[in-house]
Every structure is written in structure tokens, then in C-alpha cells.
Amino acid sequence: MNTTEPKNRKFNVGDDIEIPDTAHQISSDSWFQVAFVLTTGINSAYVLGYSGTIMVPLGWIGGVVGLLLATAISLYANTLIAKLHEFGGKRHIRYRDLAGFIYGRKAYCLTWGLQYVNLFMINCGFIILAGSALKAVYVLFRDDHVLKLPHCIAIAGLICAVFAIGIPHLSALGVWLAVSTILSLIYIVVAIVLSVRDGVKAPSRDYEIQGSSLSKLFTITGAAANLVFAFNTGMLPEIQATVRQPVVKNMMKALYFQFTAGVLPMYAVTFIAYWAYGSSTSTYLLNSVNGPLWVKALANISAILQSVISLHIFASPTYEYMDTKFGIKGNPLAIKNLLFRIVARGGYIAVSTLLSALLPFLGDFMSLTGAVSTFPLTFILANHMYYKAKNNKLNPMQKLWHWLNVVFFSLMSVAAAIAALRLIALDSKNFHVFADL
């Protein structure tokens, strides 16, 4: 089945929930293409910030151990979700569909709300990243301060909107995934090479965690949210919906690829950059490196374009909802469909761009997103849904394990949210709205 017409089917889970079929393609992609969708997300331009937003607050021991643990825990949590894709004799192509089938209508609505916030904030971050990279290119060649960060964010938002209008659904990315991989390699290789060059020439670096004891407590807690953000999917069932049968087996192949070969570039750029610059590492690495102007410009342009592709991946559940809700099907180039995408997707990205320009604090966005949505979606809900679905097949120790995960990550979510809100409040005092950072 490649495409389906939007229609409603009901299944009873305590409350009647109308689950629409999708206007987008499903069951059309190989596991390898899905693996590259996942790897694109993990090696997006966000990797240029992890040395500053993870390693600087946590230091060598905390940062390295934290990233390794986050990798293992994220793979485990994603595995739980992947194995529930065909639970109860039904294929659940959306995160909220799975939650609704297991818990009922309230969980269906809550999960959709959490996922929407999660993806919306991730996309705001991508727009901030693309805008920051665009400004970095401008500053390389002009020093007149005429083009400011809010202007660059607006331009980045316009590019994202054009791309969103042209690519109808997730499976249509096709060759763009290869382009994304090449772009990722460009800015990662440039960042690594220039960081190594700077690190060899630089005097001894300071790797101490900065700030007072109270400040360290908040920054370390916020960095824990950044750790889980680094492996954030928040839309695994939607990605899994595109993979061919056997769905679970092929998705597991994609996940193993993502969390082995896929994480290596991210590890390399994060650790090498921190080694080179220590506690002075910027939250956007390409602002720290020194090198030929054309090389830095190439890396920044690659980061801009890759952010556009990555945003489209993380916005696809929202686009799928809008297309299915309003019955947008058939030829993507039909005038009606084009006009709908211009209005609906253009409006979504316009709102995202406005918020991004209003509060362009990238590290804060990562922390808050990890706290309020990544922890609940990827860890708390994954463990509890698996416990609920497989309750009769789990032994007492397995049940206890899942409950411990639920309690621990719930506490972490609350603590990280408080830390992230504190960071935003501090930055809001230090910088005015539409700040030119």
C-alpha cells in the first residue's frame, strides 16, 4: 500500500476515537532509507552546538559518560516503541494513535499535544540554527552590522517554507536524504579539521565547569535535557509508518544503524571541539573555529541547507495531520494542493520563524524541548506503554524496571524544565527580544 485516501475508522478503547487513514505514503521505503532519515536527524546542524551545550556544562567525565548513557537509553526506549508498532493486530502509524489504542482518548490528545510542542520547538531551533549560520556567512565577508540575526532568521524561514511547499511528504525526500548526508559531512569534517588545527596551536585549555555551586546545579540539569535532545525522535511511529514490511524487523535494522554508525560523526565533532576550545566553546561551533574564509563559508552554507531538510523531517507529522484533515490527495502539483501547502505550511513556518526571531536562544530551546516533551515522549511514555501493553508477559523484575524508569525520568523532566525556564529568564534579562546575538 503506497497511498490511502483519508477516511475514518473507529476502534473502541474505552472511548471511541476516530483514527483517520493517512493522505501520505506508507510502507514504501527500504530500511536503509529510513535509517538515513534517522541519521539525518541525529547529525543535523544541532551537532555544532553539543560541545557547547553538553560538554561545557558537564565536563569531560560527565559529558562523555552522559552521551554514552544517553545513546544506550535512547536506543532502548526507541526499541520499545518500535516493537509496539503492530500491537493489538493493528498498525499504529502515529504516536498518538498508539497511545490512544493503549490508554484511550485523553492519552491520545495529550500525546498529540506533547508531540506537537516537541516538534514545533525542534523546528524553531532549526530556524535559529539556519539563521545563525546565515549571519555567520555574512559576518565573514561584511562587518557593517546591517544584516542582523532576526533578518537572517526571517530569510531562513522563507527558504524552509519554499522547501516545505515543494516536498509533499516524508517519503518524497528521496535524493534529498543523500544531499543531507553530504551537507552534514561537509560541516562536520570542516568543524573537526579546523578544531584540531586550533587545538594543536592553542595553549592549555580550561575544562572546569564554570559558575557558582547553584549555577552549576542548574546548568548540569539543563545539560541532561540536552543529552536526550541529541537523540530526540519524538515521531518514531510516523517514521516507522514509511518502512516496508516486515515493519518491526526493518525498523530495528534502521535503529541499529542510527545508534552505531550514525552516532559516530556526532561523537567526533562534539568531543574534538571540546578538546580544542574547552569551556570557551561556543554554542554554535563554527563561531569558534579559525580558518580560510571560503572553508568556513562552505561549512555554514551546508549547515543552512541541511537545517532546511531536517526541519522538513520533524515537521512532517504536522504536515501529515493538515493534509489528512483537509483531504489533500492526488497530484502534489495540482493547483489546489499547491495552494493548500502554501497557506497551511507557509503559515506554520511563519509562526515558527516569528518565535525564533523573538527569542533566538538556541541552547535554551534545546533544554526546554528536552525537558517538557522529549523526556515524557521518548522515555516516560515509551516505558509505561510497553509495561501496559506487555503486562501479562513481563515478570515482576521487568515490571519494576519499567516503573523505575517512569519515576526517574518523570523527576528528571520536572528538574530539567525548572532549569530550562531559569536559563530562558536569565537570557531574557540579558538580551532584548529580537536580539542580534
Side-chain angles (χ1 to χ4, degrees):
M1 180 170 58
N2 287 335
T3 57
T4 56
E5 293 185 2
K7 59 185 179 180
N8 289 333
R9 63 184 190 274
K10 289 186 179 181
F11 51 77
N12 196 307
V13 283
D15 297 313
D16 283 336
I17 305 175
E18 293 184 356
I19 303 297
D21 284 340
T22 180
H24 288 191
Q25 286 189 353
I26 64 172
S27 301
S28 61
D29 301 342
S30 67
W31 75 264
F32 198 63
Q33 178 169 332
V34 172
F36 269 86
V37 170
L38 294 169
T39 304
T40 292
I42 213 169
N43 288 302
S44 70
Y46 273 117
V47 300
L48 298 173
Y50 294 154
S51 53
T53 59
I54 292 175
M55 298 301 294
V56 170
L58 296 177
W60 272 120
I61 296 176
V64 173
V65 173
L67 268 176
L68 293 175
L69 281 176
T71 304
I73 293 169
S74 298
L75 172 59
Y76 174 72
N78 284 325
T79 297
L80 296 181
I81 296 297
K83 289 180 177 179
L84 293 176
H85 192 73
E86 295 180 313
F87 173 65
K90 300 178 183 294
R91 188 172 181 185
H92 307 283
I93 63 173
R94 306 176 187 88
Y95 212 134
R96 61 188 181 277
D97 295 353
L98 177 59
F101 185 80
I102 294 175
Y103 300 113
R105 177 176 294 278
K106 289 182 179 179
Y108 176 90
C109 297
L110 178 61
T111 303
W112 178 219
L114 281 173
Q115 188 184 40
Y116 181 85
V117 169
N118 183 53
L119 300 177
F120 178 77
M121 294 182 69
I122 290 172
N123 290 333
C124 287
F126 277 124
I127 295 173
I128 294 172
L129 268 171
S132 299
L134 180 58
K135 184 187 174 185
V137 173
Y138 180 81
V139 170
L140 286 174
F141 300 99
R142 297 286 295 273
D143 194 24
D144 54 16
H145 302 288
V146 173
L147 189 67
K148 302 185 182 300
L149 181 59
H151 304 146
C152 294
I153 288 174
I155 296 170
L158 179 61
I159 297 171
C160 291
V162 172
F163 189 81
I165 292 164
I167 307 296
H169 47 73
L170 192 58
S171 293
L173 278 171
V175 69
W176 288 105
L177 294 173
V179 173
S180 173
T181 301
I182 294 170
L183 294 171
S184 297
L185 287 174
I186 290 173
Y187 59 70
I188 287 174
V189 169
V190 168
I192 289 173
V193 170
L194 295 184
S195 294
V196 168
R197 196 175 83 159
D198 287 346
V200 169
K201 295 179 180 178
S204 59
R205 274 79 70 189
D206 179 14
Y207 297 111
E208 291 294 321
I209 301 174
Q210 305 296 312
S212 64
S213 298
L214 180 61
S215 176
K216 287 179 183 179
L217 177 63
F218 279 108
T219 54
I220 289 172
T221 305
N226 292 338
L227 280 170
V228 298
F229 178 90
F231 302 97
N232 186 354
T233 53
M235 50 177 283
L236 194 74
E238 287 83 356
I239 295 175
Q240 192 168 358
T242 68
V243 75
R244 297 172 191 154
Q245 295 284 0
V247 180
V248 174
K249 183 178 179 181
N250 282 331
M251 193 65 194
M252 292 307 300
K253 290 180 182 178
L255 285 172
Y256 290 143
F257 181 90
Q258 177 195 12
F259 284 97
T260 52
V263 299
L264 295 180
M266 185 264 281
Y267 282 169
V269 71
T270 301
F271 297 147
I272 290 173
Y274 185 61
W275 163 79
Y277 305 106
S279 59
S280 63
T281 309
S282 170
T283 54
Y284 181 63
L285 178 58
L286 294 180
N287 286 337
S288 296
V289 300
N290 297 293
L293 291 185
W294 73 268
V295 174
K296 293 174 68 175
L298 176 64
N300 279 296
I301 292 170
S302 299
I304 296 168
L305 299 177
Q306 205 277 342
S307 295
V308 173
I309 299 171
S310 293
L311 184 148
H312 191 77
I313 292 173
F314 285 95
S316 61
T318 304
Y319 298 157
E320 187 272 337
Y321 170 78
M322 292 189 290
D323 291 349
T324 300
K325 179 74 173 177
F326 294 96
I328 303 302
K329 58 184 183 295
N331 185 355
L333 298 179
I335 297 299
K336 174 189 172 184
N337 295 345
L338 275 174
L339 289 175
F340 178 82
R341 291 202 299 275
I342 290 171
V343 174
R345 300 185 183 187
Y348 173 80
I349 292 179
V351 173
S352 304
T353 303
L354 177 61
L355 180 61
S356 302
L358 189 69
L359 298 168
F361 312 128
L362 182 61
D364 299 352
F365 264 100
M366 291 166 62
S367 297
L368 189 60
T369 303
V372 303
S373 53
T374 307
F375 272 123
L377 279 176
T378 309
F379 299 105
I380 301 171
L381 196 57
N383 275 278
H384 195 269
M385 281 199 303
Y386 193 82
Y387 164 82
K388 186 83 171 176
K390 305 289 186 179
N391 188 35
N392 295 332
K393 298 180 180 180
L394 300 177
N395 61 45
M397 285 302 296
Q398 290 173 320
K399 292 179 181 180
L400 178 62
W401 164 250
H402 288 294
W403 269 112
L404 287 174
N405 281 327
V406 169
V407 173
F408 174 75
F409 288 115
S410 296
L411 294 174
M412 285 297 298
S413 179
V414 173
I418 294 170
L421 290 172
R422 177 181 176 274
L423 285 173
I424 291 175
L426 290 175
D427 281 339
S428 298
K429 290 179 180 178
N430 295 332
F431 302 101
H432 56 77
V433 295
F434 297 108
D436 183 29
L437 303 181

